[in-house]
Amino acid sequence: MAIRANIELDAGAKTFATGLLIELIAALRCMRPGDLMAVFGSDRAVGTELEAWCRFTRNSLVDATVEEGRHRWVIRCGEAPENADAGRPVGSRLWLYTNFDCNLCCDYCCVRSSPKASRRALGLERVRRIASEAAALGVGEIFVTGGEPFLLADIGDILRACAATASTTVLTNGMLFVGRRLETLRGLPRDRLTLQISLDSPTPERHDQHRGAGTWAKAWKGIERARAEGFRVRLAATVATEAEADEFSQFLDSRRIGEQDRVIRRIALRGFATKGIALARADLVPEITITADGVYWHPVGAEDADLLVTPEIFPLADAFAAARRAFEHEQAHAHRLATIFNCA
Ligand code: SF4
């Protein structure tokens, strides 16, 4: 599905040399930071010019598609929100997408998980090999995400394999801790495992609007149950605005939940989301992410072709090297442009 833009600019056959630049600047003057502009054109080479111009002007080219024989590029006005992870070495965090299917169908899910999504399982044997090879590669933290990981019958073994290698966090909607799955939870190690449970708002309304009726109450019950079982629980909210983020922060403050046990992030314009922050590869410091389909740049786009690093997972050292090379290439490109356009 094409990303919806605030402004559409039909460039026709124009290029930067024949008047497109002036039209771009005029359109940008009508935009606010975060707004999106779609540029249509017939000349494929404009994409390369747009990419260079975006890097130089600190806007971002976030999408490029071809529709009915015409090229469509989407530009985000302004820089992405500051990336708190910018200083973290590439490879210190490792993300695993274990399955992709989910008991929920959230309207902003960045990887299109749902009960209808087919299972793309990484599988216990691959997780064990990843965990054993990750130990020698400087991985300090492993994050396990689904869809919903607790749908898997062998999630207990998967989490134990990860926790034996590094401090591990499992991301869950917290709604399945009953019966057999509660027993699985009870069998997990408390010392190296954190549960990150999604809760989007202080009260059910907004959470349920995105995730389905009754889900806030079930998630809250899951949070209480996990805590009662002795697990460290981190609350993770996905929000649409800064005001929603502030409101949730105040809620966590009132509950005396510390900074280390909370994550508040904005909706990314990926997957099912129709609104949110449009993010390109150049906006993201890589956090190596492994799925059944290969190795990706970042968990926010773990099924998107623009963030695929390599379809080959093993040897893991080669996959890590490919991600680092790609990052160095990004940085070198940005540096080269800064030099080319150095005006003083
Ligand atoms: S956001 Fe999480 S809980 Fe919601 S559909 Fe996606 S994987 Fe499932």
Side-chain angles (χ1 to χ4, degrees):
M1 191 170 50
I3 294 178
R4 270 188 296 172
N6 305 85
I7 288 185
E8 305 223 326
L9 177 62
D10 190 346
K14 283 189 194 129
T15 67
F16 273 55
T18 57
L20 176 58
L21 182 58
I22 292 166
E23 291 190 21
L24 279 174
I25 292 169
L28 262 186
R29 287 209 170 117
C30 305
M31 295 168 71
R32 292 167 306 174
D35 280 355
L36 300 178
M37 168 167 45
V39 180
F40 291 89
S42 54
D43 188 341
R44 187 174 170 213
V46 167
T48 310
E49 293 178 328
L50 277 174
E51 191 186 2
W53 177 77
C54 281
R55 287 175 189 262
F56 171 54
T57 54
R58 296 192 179 277
N59 299 294
S60 269
L61 181 63
V62 294
D63 197 31
T65 49
V66 180
E67 293 173 10
E68 295 172 1
R70 299 180 76 212
H71 297 275
R72 182 180 191 262
W73 300 276
V74 180
I75 295 168
R76 188 198 59 233
C77 175
E79 291 181 277
E82 200 173 322
N83 191 342
D85 305 331
R88 190 177 291 128
V90 176
S92 59
R93 279 181 161 197
L94 177 63
W95 288 79
L96 306 181
Y97 267 85
T98 50
N99 50 305
F100 283 100
D101 52 323
C102 188
N103 52 318
L104 296 185
C105 184
C106 306
D107 64 5
Y108 55 62
C109 185
C110 65
V111 290
R112 300 180 181 87
S113 288
S114 78
K116 287 187 188 157
S118 54
R119 178 163 293 178
R120 284 173 278 151
L122 202 44
L124 179 58
E125 286 320 308
R126 271 195 290 201
V127 171
R128 282 188 171 140
R129 183 169 170 195
I130 290 167
S132 75
E133 294 187 22
L137 295 171
V139 172
E141 291 177 276
I142 299 177
F143 293 80
V144 176
T145 186
E148 172 48 52
F150 281 90
L151 286 175
L152 295 171
D154 56 2
I155 189 61
D157 291 330
I158 286 174
L159 293 175
R160 276 187 286 277
C162 294
T165 288
S167 164
T168 296
T169 297
V170 56
L171 280 67
T172 169
N173 53 46
M175 295 176 56
L176 298 177
F177 301 148
V178 291
R180 168 175 62 82
R181 293 183 177 115
L182 179 57
E183 290 312 312
T184 299
L185 182 71
R186 285 183 171 141
L188 293 172
R190 275 46 168 186
D191 54 341
R192 279 161 65 96
L193 185 69
T194 299
L195 270 67
Q196 182 167 311
I197 302 183
S198 307
L199 195 78
D200 292 344
S201 51
T203 55
E205 194 186 20
R206 202 164 54 235
H207 179 104
D208 287 6
Q209 191 186 323
H210 288 298
R211 292 174 172 266
T215 55
W216 190 96
K218 287 183 183 163
W220 189 254
K221 210 179 217 175
I223 291 164
E224 291 187 323
R225 181 153 285 164
R227 282 197 184 126
E229 293 293 336
F231 287 96
R232 176 179 171 195
V233 174
R234 186 182 301 131
L235 297 193
T238 307
V239 299
T241 64
E242 283 305 306
E244 289 181 11
D246 289 346
E247 186 193 15
F248 198 71
S249 272
Q250 285 164 19
F251 167 72
L252 297 176
D253 290 344
S254 71
R255 300 265 167 174
R256 297 184 188 284
I257 292 170
E259 292 292 333
Q260 71 285 1
D261 288 328
R262 56 172 87 173
V263 178
I264 303 176
R265 64 211 160 190
R266 295 283 294 276
I267 295 171
L269 190 53
R270 294 249 167 193
F272 284 145
T274 54
K275 290 181 183 164
I277 296 181
L279 293 166
R281 180 189 276 235
D283 297 320
L284 299 162
V285 174
E287 294 199 14
I288 297 173
T289 301
I290 302 180
T291 79
D293 302 317
V295 180
Y296 287 79
W297 184 267
H298 196 277
V300 81
E303 58 163 17
D304 296 339
D306 63 325
L307 295 187
L308 178 67
V309 175
T310 166
E312 303 297 331
I313 300 173
F314 300 113
L316 200 58
D318 288 0
F320 273 47
R324 290 191 178 112
R325 268 198 311 277
F327 186 46
E328 281 162 14
H329 180 75
E330 278 290 336
Q331 288 181 310
H333 191 51
H335 179 71
R336 226 173 15 251
L337 284 167
T339 311
I340 291 166
F341 290 104
N342 192 2
C343 300

